[in-house]
Amino acid sequence: MGLREYQERIASRFAAFDRDRDGAVSVHDFREMAGVILAEFGESEHTASGRALVDGAERFWQGLADAADVDRDGRLTEEEFVRAATASLLDNPEGFAYIVLPWVEASITIADTDGDGELTPAEWRRMLRAMNAHGVPAHATGPTLTIAEVMASAVAYYTSDRPMPQAIVRTSH
């Protein structure tokens, strides 16, 4: 995998975030994604974990917008979105920690419905479905995915042009 494949991967995330399918993402698309996750897991945006998810979505948006919304119109085209991720996240775990980590942590917290620090295959599938994460394997070989495995997957997904860790890409029958 190389830069081109990384950019294609990020473009697929653009498609997932473009909730209204208008060819651009905005803070409203990121908020809607958070709302879909909250609805999927029956969580209110007024709880601490719900607020963390909405705040994480807004921070994710703002980090990308700061890097690529050069015309400051509050919208990122696919090209701008991919450029922002490439400039701010690729080979930059610190950029990931600042821009994406709050979103990922909050998403996992919401999906971990029993709070045991692990996601069951059902929780994992529900999270992926809510995030419109097409192309990401929805099954794990074991009974659960640890939060560390999910976090490693997210870091690899956003910061590396290498394939995702086997802990997440493994599939079962």
Side-chain angles (χ1 to χ4, degrees):
M1 182 181 255
L3 180 60
R4 183 169 176 257
E5 290 85 1
Y6 173 81
Q7 291 173 329
E8 289 171 0
R9 180 191 310 162
I10 295 302
S12 75
R13 291 308 304 144
F14 171 84
F17 277 108
D18 184 12
R19 303 302 284 195
D20 59 10
R21 303 291 179 244
D22 67 351
V25 293
S26 69
V27 70
H28 302 291
D29 291 300
F30 277 70
R31 287 180 187 144
E32 184 175 328
M33 175 83 72
V36 169
I37 293 169
L38 291 171
E40 174 65 30
F41 290 96
E43 187 75 34
S44 168
E45 69 181 65
H46 302 293
T47 64
S49 55
R51 189 71 235 150
L53 184 67
V54 172
D55 290 347
E58 291 173 355
R59 186 173 188 164
F60 192 175
W61 156 255
Q62 195 59 57
L64 293 176
D66 287 349
D69 188 15
V70 292
D71 60 5
R72 297 295 180 228
D73 66 352
R75 299 164 41 91
L76 294 178
T77 64
E78 181 178 322
E79 180 182 330
E80 289 172 319
F81 186 87
V82 171
R83 183 174 43 233
T86 303
S88 300
L89 302 175
L90 181 60
D91 294 326
N92 185 4
E94 294 80 20
F96 172 86
Y98 181 75
I99 294 171
V100 186
L101 186 61
W103 163 257
V104 171
E105 287 178 333
S107 298
I108 292 168
T109 298
I110 297 286
D112 181 15
T113 57
D114 61 7
D116 67 354
E118 297 180 331
L119 297 182
T120 66
E123 290 169 332
W124 178 241
R125 284 190 302 275
R126 286 176 69 194
M127 184 176 80
L128 293 176
R129 183 178 58 243
M131 294 177 75
N132 201 20
H134 300 296
V136 177
H139 295 52
T141 57
T144 62
L145 290 170
T146 67
I147 299 304
E149 288 175 319
V150 176
M151 291 301 294
S153 170
V155 170
Y157 190 91
Y158 285 104
T159 67
S160 174
D161 63 358
R162 293 173 297 282
M164 291 181 51
Q166 289 303 312
I168 298 303
V169 299
R170 62 188 183 204
T171 58
S172 65
H173 310 308

